[in-house]
Amino acid sequence: SQQGEEDPQALSIQEGENATMNCSYKTSINNLQWYRQNSGRGLVHLILIRSNEREKHSGRLRVTLDTSKKSSSLLITASRAADTASYFCATTMDSSYKLIFGSGTRLLVRP
Amino acid sequence: SAVISQKPSRDICQRGTSLTIQCQVDSQVTMMFWYRQQPGQSLTLIATANQGSEATYESGFVIDKFPISRPNLTFSTLTVSNMSPEDSSIYLCSVGGWQGSNHEQFFGPGTRLTVL
């Protein structure tokens, strides 16, 4: 069963705009990871944030984590058409490596 | 990081047959997993592939349907047995625990299976 939900389910923006995706989860976590999936292919690992971290950056990506609200957000700044993909959050609990995925957000960046 | 390959990348199979999917990593890893992604859905963990012992299956998945092998720290196979159209999905392996990693989990390119 899914650990959490992501919203929005789908997001359509213009190139150059920022995209924000949110992820909520149900139980205590060890870490949370964000992935990108292009058109039914494999998942590309974007960023990992630990439960004791609040914010991480990687290039145009900014991830926040609020463990009190059991939620995370992924911000993509200055979006490009190549960012069009599905984005998933996934959590691990305690020291287990097992990932529990959210429902995903489909992002369309219009050129 | 770890580079992961899967074979085959896609296949179309007949009902009642079986397909074995291979996952190869370019470095030794502690953890290997198999996931299923049904059409339009998110990923669901099938099992943890344990090196040298039986895989650990998640609720709803059984060894008779999804036998898994992991003979060493760089290779694993998943077999989808006695297939039906409901098994049409993308099957992905993932790995974690390579030297220098920090609990990240990387995925292979996936195997897209269509059962007729």
Side-chain angles (χ1 to χ4, degrees):
Chain A
S1 62
Q2 244 105 47
Q3 159 77 298
E5 298 298 319
E6 290 179 60
D7 80 270
Q9 287 188 329
L11 179 62
S12 179
I13 59 174
Q14 201 70 37
E15 202 166 27
E17 294 179 339
N18 295 342
T20 299
M21 289 159 269
N22 303 296
C23 166
S24 62
Y25 55 91
K26 298 173 185 171
T27 63
S28 297
I29 63 169
N30 187 42
N31 64 60
L32 185 146
Q33 302 181 55
W34 283 91
Y35 292 88
R36 182 183 75 228
Q37 184 178 39
N38 291 84
S39 198
R41 296 185 178 180
L43 273 68
V44 175
H45 186 272
L46 296 177
I47 201 162
L48 178 152
I49 187 166
R50 301 190 186 290
S51 60
N52 61 355
E53 296 175 314
R54 293 296 166 258
E55 187 170 314
K56 282 189 88 168
H57 297 255
S58 177
R60 293 184 295 114
L61 306 180
R62 173 178 168 252
V63 167
T64 62
L65 179 65
D66 186 335
T67 53
S68 67
K69 295 181 179 177
K70 292 186 169 59
S71 68
S72 174
S73 67
L74 170 67
L75 168 68
I76 304 174
T77 59
S79 64
R80 305 166 182 169
D83 295 328
T84 293
S86 291
Y87 292 82
F88 294 93
C89 67
T91 56
T92 60
M93 294 182 286
D94 48 73
S95 61
S96 167
Y97 270 85
K98 294 197 294 187
L99 289 173
I100 304 175
F101 278 82
S103 51
T105 294
R106 294 188 313 279
L107 173 66
L108 172 64
V109 181
R110 304 186 304 274
Chain B
S1 66
V3 178
I4 307 153
S5 59
Q6 279 186 238
K7 289 183 190 178
S9 59
R10 58 177 60 223
D11 208 341
I12 300 173
C13 300
Q14 295 298 320
R15 181 195 298 261
T17 62
S18 298
L19 176 72
T20 296
I21 302 167
Q22 298 179 6
C23 178
Q24 179 76 54
V25 194
D26 69 343
S27 56
Q28 292 186 341
V29 295
T30 306
M31 312 298 295
M32 293 185 81
F33 302 93
W34 287 97
Y35 289 81
R36 180 176 74 182
Q37 185 178 28
Q38 294 176 299
Q41 303 295 313
S42 186
L43 280 77
T44 301
L45 179 63
I46 298 172
T48 303
N50 299 310
Q51 194 257 330
S53 64
E54 197 170 282
T56 305
Y57 290 85
E58 297 300 306
S59 175
F61 298 96
V62 296
I63 188 170
D64 290 347
K65 176 66 176 177
F66 296 102
I68 287 170
S69 79
R70 189 175 172 195
N72 56 51
L73 293 176
T74 63
F75 185 78
S76 178
T77 66
L78 168 75
T79 299
V80 187
S81 303
N82 188 25
M83 289 184 283
S84 67
E86 292 71 35
D87 294 320
S88 297
S89 295
I90 299 173
Y91 292 86
L92 301 106
C93 69
S94 72
V95 305
W98 60 88
Q99 191 168 7
S101 71
N102 224 351
H103 239 88
E104 297 97 341
Q105 202 170 127
F106 281 19
F107 282 79
T111 295
R112 183 183 291 272
L113 171 62
T114 302
V115 184
L116 302 177

